[in-house]
Amino acid sequence: YNADLKTDLKNRKYREAYEYDNFIFETAFSLSKMREHKGLSQARLAELAGLKRQAISRLEQGKENMTLGTLYKISKNLGKTPKIIFKAK
């Protein structure tokens, strides 16, 4: 598996898609873990952030992109301040 992945990642389009999917997964996973750590249900976080529960569910599954405004509302209600850092590769 690792050898195949290493080979596949040499392809620029494959690598970009892989990196994008990884970014979405890590963001969704972090959101879910922060919500659970705070002891909030998806419904309660949605209510606090002015969103629908289904939107929180889709975000946590990586099935929906969020705007910076949505990220701010969710973060605020999780007791966090969002910080975006652009790193050199």
Side-chain angles (χ1 to χ4, degrees), residues 7-8 24 49 51 53 55 59-60 64 71 77 81-83:
T7 300
D8 290 341
I24 296 298
L51 302 168
R53 187 208 54 82
L59 289 168
E60 288 184 359
E64 183 169 307
L71 176 62
N77 287 288
T81 301
K83 183 177 183 179

Side-chain angles (χ1 to χ4, degrees), residues 13-73:
K13 286 186 178 188
Y14 184 92
R15 184 178 61 253
E16 288 174 356
Y18 179 86
E19 289 171 351
Y20 176 80
D21 288 346
N22 192 51
F23 171 76
I24 296 298
F25 173 78
E26 286 180 3
T27 303
F29 184 76
S30 293
L31 174 61
S32 176
K33 288 299 163 197
M34 286 188 293
R35 178 185 57 76
E36 290 172 357
H37 181 73
K38 201 73 168 150
L40 297 174
S41 66
Q42 289 180 343
R44 182 64 180 143
L45 177 57
E47 181 183 333
L48 292 169
L51 302 168
K52 295 185 184 222
R53 187 208 54 82
Q54 293 86 346
I56 298 295
S57 176
R58 288 190 306 268
L59 289 168
E60 288 184 359
Q61 293 174 43
K63 293 182 178 179
E64 183 169 307
N65 289 323
M66 68 180 99
T67 65
L68 292 175
T70 299
L71 176 62
Y72 179 81
K73 286 191 254 182

